[in-house]
Each structure stands twice: as structure tokens, then as C-alpha cells.
Amino acid sequence: MRIGIICYPTFGGSGVVATELGIELSKTGNTVHFLAYKMPVRLDISLENIHFHEVHVPDYPLFHYQPYELALSSALVDMVKLHKIDLLHVHYAIPHAYAAYMAKQMLAESNIDIPIVTTLHGSDITLVGSHPFYKPAVTFSINNSDLVSSVSESLKVDTLNLFNIRKEIKVVPNFIDINKYEKLQTTCSRDNLAQPTERIVSHVSNFRPVKRVHDVIDVFAKIQKKVSSRLIMVGDGPDRKSAEQMAKDLGIGDLVDFVGKSNDVYRILCSSDLFLLPSQKESFGLAALEAMAAKTPVIASSQGGLPEVVVHHSSGFLVPVGETDKMASYAIELLSNDDKLHQFKVAAFTRAKEFDIKKIVPKYIELYKQAFD
Ligand code: GMT
């Protein structure tokens, strides 16, 4: 099959899922064409059957806003015609599903019928998409996709509650390549990350307000009073500066490392003893799954899709949003007990295996088949 994948190229989960999916599909003889405004961060175009096309939006002074959707739908039409694409898989409703619908209509004029599979990832529904400015267009794009998937049951329920959806929504969870994690585990080294006597606590996100990074600092401030430990904050975004300031104000600036966007995330995760994800809401929480695949238990908020990933009292703990005292007390309990921590690490990895790429990608292939019916 020749598949076109449209995604955001950034460090965010939707781009990661789209990229890893495309790479896996390319290994089984499919040809995958990626279309985005920049090369997706995890994409390797030296791989066989993988192609990348950049959407270019010329800067024209007359426009106050440059028309990205227009450029994207035109690029889609060109890509489908030139490379004889069989199916488009768009990740994130805004504006990808909308642009794909426009491309589908344009292609129909050339007697080309291209199925569109839309995958909803989270903020396209819960944070941005449901805003009155976008709602009619998002509703329309979802209803006019040939097939729609969401990354968790929780996101499916939110979508049905927030929009007037006539389409069935299939749930296909996020995934990780457990083989890759198993191989990396043998090379995992915590050298230079912390002192041998310190526990390592970590957090990875884009530091948007929804991630509640100040809760991460607050929880860690309580942990380090009882357990010798160090916090590694990976990523960058709007709340980074104030989180750094908060750590300094609390007198723990020297115990918290803000390492920014890192290509060494795996080493940090596999060296960690605990991962914190206290988000206001996560449709799934790919970062939590990646931590678990690296044998690191997770303390997360009991919101959105996180309870579909983390098993309370087994692979981690789930706590209501904002209850940092409770999060800290679970963390201290775990980090002070070697046997319990070991049990949780094993359970985290066992749970992560349920989301192995080999189990999840066939579900997308099944969706593609249905899209042709
Ligand atoms: O979490 C982010 O801010 C990035 C965002 C994205 O759109 O890339 O992630 C969303 O999609 C991921 C992949 O499906 C999910 O694992 C994340 O939970 C989801 N983020 C939110 O719902 C806030």
C-alpha cells in the first residue's frame, strides 16, 4: 500500500506516534510518504520505503495570516497524484483532517477517490478543537473522514460529548517498540546523571500549562526532604522559566536539572526510579508509557486516559489532579523501599508490553482495510 501520513513534526506525542507508525508500516513492504511543515523529529529518511515532503507556505505580505491549510491541501493533491497514494492517514484534526477533506474533494474532480483515516490525539479535541472558533470545522472534518480513531476510550468519550459526531470512533492506543527498549536497557547508564546514592525522579513534556510542571517541582520538593534524590526535567515550553524559578525559590535549584529538549530521553528514563506526570488532562500519556517501557514506574493524575495506561498500585500510582501531598507520599513510600521499587519497575515493564508496536500497528492496518470498504 502507498500511505500518506500527515502530522505535526514536533517533539509532541502525536508526531511521535505518526512517525513510529509510518516507519513500522514501511518495514512490511508499504511505502510511506510523510507530509509536514518540517521533518518530523524521529523520522529517518535514509530508511527504505520512507519519503518526506515539506509543505512550504510562501510568505506573502498581503496576508496577515499565511494560509497553511491551503498550502497543505494543495500539497496533498500533488503528493497523491504524483506518488499514486492509496490512503491518507491524518494525525490531529486541526487543520490536518480539514485540509485532507479539501484535498479529497479536489481529487474527486480528477476521478481519484482517496480514503481518509483521521486519528484524534487529544488537545485537538479537548483543548483547542472544542473552542467555538474551531468547533464547526472540527465536527465537519471528523464526520467527513472515512474512518476515525482516538488514542483512548477517554478521548472517544470526550469527543462524543463535545461534538455532534455521526461517525463510529475506534480506539487504537499509543504504542512503543518494546524490542528497542529491551536492547537499549543493556546499554543504560546513569553516569553523570546523579550520585550513586541518589534516587532519580524525572519528567518529560512540552511544559504547557496542561502538564502542571509546577506540581512536579512541588512533589519533588517534598520527596527530597525524605529521600536523597535528584529531579531531571526534560523538554521546553511556556512554563519552563517559572518552574526553574520555583525550584530556586524553594531552595532546591541545585537538585533539579532542566536539560531542555533532549535526544537522550531514553537514557534519562531508564536511569530513573520514578516518572511524574501530574497533567490536568492527558488523552493517553505517551510519556508515561515510554517511561514504563524503560522500567520506570509512574505517578500520574487519575484524569483522562492515564488510568488506561498506568495501573494503580502496580505500575505506579494514580492521584487526583493537584493532590501533590498524596503524590509525594506515594513517591516516598516507593523510593524508600528497594523491594517495592523493584516490584513496581517489573510491573511497569510488564504493563508496557501490552502496548507493543507489534500488537497495536495491526489495528491500524485493519482500519485501513475498512476504509476501502
Ligand atoms: O501532550 C502534548 O502536549 C502533545 C500532544 C500532541 O498532540 O502531540 O500529545 C497528545 O497526543 C499524544 C499521542 O497520542 C498523547 O499521548 C498525549 O496524551 C496527548 N496530549 C494531551 O492530551 C494533553
Side-chain angles (χ1 to χ4, degrees):
M1 210 185 295
R2 287 176 294 266
I3 302 159
I5 291 187
I6 298 87
C7 64
Y8 279 105
T10 48
F11 278 87
S14 64
V16 168
V17 167
T19 307
E20 305 274 2
L21 170 64
I23 293 174
E24 185 65 14
L25 290 166
S26 74
K27 289 179 189 162
T28 48
N30 300 290
T31 303
V32 183
H33 291 258
F34 284 88
L35 189 65
Y37 61 77
K38 215 172 71 191
M39 172 94 76
V41 281
R42 289 204 193 169
L43 188 60
D44 176 359
I45 48 162
S46 68
L47 294 172
E48 211 181 329
N49 300 332
I50 291 283
H51 304 272
F52 169 66
H53 312 280
E54 188 182 78
V55 182
H56 181 62
V57 190
D59 218 354
Y60 189 61
L62 181 70
F63 297 142
H64 185 61
Y65 300 105
Q66 305 305 320
Y68 180 65
E69 292 79 359
L70 228 62
L72 177 59
S73 47
S74 295
L76 276 169
V77 169
D78 286 349
M79 184 181 83
V80 169
K81 283 185 172 169
L82 189 62
H83 300 287
K84 304 199 173 8
I85 303 290
D86 300 307
L87 176 139
L88 291 176
H89 188 173
V90 299
H91 292 262
Y92 216 84
I94 306 170
H96 300 154
Y98 187 73
Y101 173 79
M102 291 311 296
K104 185 179 172 94
Q105 295 310 308
M106 288 186 259
L107 288 161
E109 299 225 316
S110 308
N111 294 321
I112 297 172
D113 180 19
I114 183 101
I116 298 173
V117 175
T118 296
T119 292
L120 310 173
H121 281 274
S123 5
D124 48 348
I125 297 304
T126 49
L127 293 180
V128 196
S130 55
H131 191 283
F133 287 171
Y134 300 115
K135 201 168 178 175
V138 172
T139 310
F140 178 86
S141 314
I142 296 175
N143 281 331
N144 284 284
S145 297
D146 293 281
L147 260 156
V148 183
S149 75
S150 78
V151 297
S152 63
E153 283 293 339
S154 154
L155 181 60
K156 174 177 169 174
V157 170
D158 282 344
T159 310
L160 296 175
N161 286 338
L162 289 165
F163 301 88
N164 185 10
I165 300 299
R166 300 188 303 270
K167 274 259 150 4
E168 186 192 350
I169 300 178
K170 317 248 184 188
V171 175
V172 183
N174 287 178
F175 53 84
I176 32 84
D177 184 345
I178 213 79
N179 244 332
K180 199 164 81 184
Y181 279 84
E182 255 173 335
K183 278 186 201 142
L184 286 165
Q185 191 78 40
T186 54
T187 61
C188 187
S189 144
R190 48 174 275 159
D191 289 357
N192 302 325
L193 290 178
Q195 298 299 321
T197 50
E198 284 175 325
R199 295 288 196 198
I200 299 180
V201 180
S202 60
H203 169 81
V204 180
S205 80
N206 50 20
F207 288 58
R208 288 193 295 145
V210 71
K211 303 294 175 182
R212 296 183 68 99
V213 289
H214 304 102
D215 283 5
V216 176
I217 305 293
D218 187 18
V219 172
F220 178 71
K222 292 172 172 121
I223 297 174
Q224 58 79 39
K225 284 186 184 151
K226 304 278 180 193
V227 181
S228 167
S229 48
R230 172 164 290 280
L231 172 64
I232 306 180
M233 299 286 281
V234 185
D236 205 348
D239 285 347
R240 175 173 168 177
K241 277 274 156 294
S242 56
E244 282 192 52
Q245 191 56 48
M246 180 177 171
K248 283 182 199 143
D249 292 346
L250 289 169
I252 53 168
D254 57 329
L255 293 179
V256 186
D257 297 319
F258 286 84
V259 299
K261 290 178 184 164
S262 170
N263 286 324
D264 208 13
V265 178
Y266 177 77
R267 192 167 85 88
I268 295 168
L269 289 179
C270 69
S271 302
S272 298
D273 298 294
L274 181 64
F275 185 81
L276 298 176
L277 194 62
S279 306
Q280 185 71 33
K281 185 136 186 150
E282 286 290 339
S283 65
F284 182 90
L286 180 61
L289 178 59
E290 292 193 331
M292 286 157 55
K295 300 194 175 161
T296 300
V298 176
I299 294 185
S301 50
S302 50
Q303 263 297 329
L306 283 164
E308 295 172 47
V309 186
V310 178
V311 181
H312 190 44
H313 281 291
S314 163
S315 46
F317 295 99
L318 295 162
V319 180
V321 175
E323 292 195 14
T324 53
D325 281 346
K326 188 90 194 143
M327 289 179 190
S329 97
Y330 279 134
I332 293 162
E333 183 189 324
L334 200 56
L335 296 174
S336 324
N337 182 332
D338 282 345
D339 289 344
K340 189 163 187 168
L341 183 58
H342 178 71
Q343 262 174 36
F344 271 64
K345 286 187 177 200
V346 172
F349 187 62
T350 306
R351 177 71 178 148
K353 281 190 206 165
E354 292 175 35
F355 299 91
D356 183 31
I357 194 163
K358 295 275 179 286
K359 291 184 181 158
I360 308 298
V361 169
K363 294 181 196 276
Y364 277 118
I365 294 172
E366 190 49 40
L367 284 194
Y368 296 169
K369 284 187 189 145
Q370 290 170 18
F372 287 108
D373 292 345

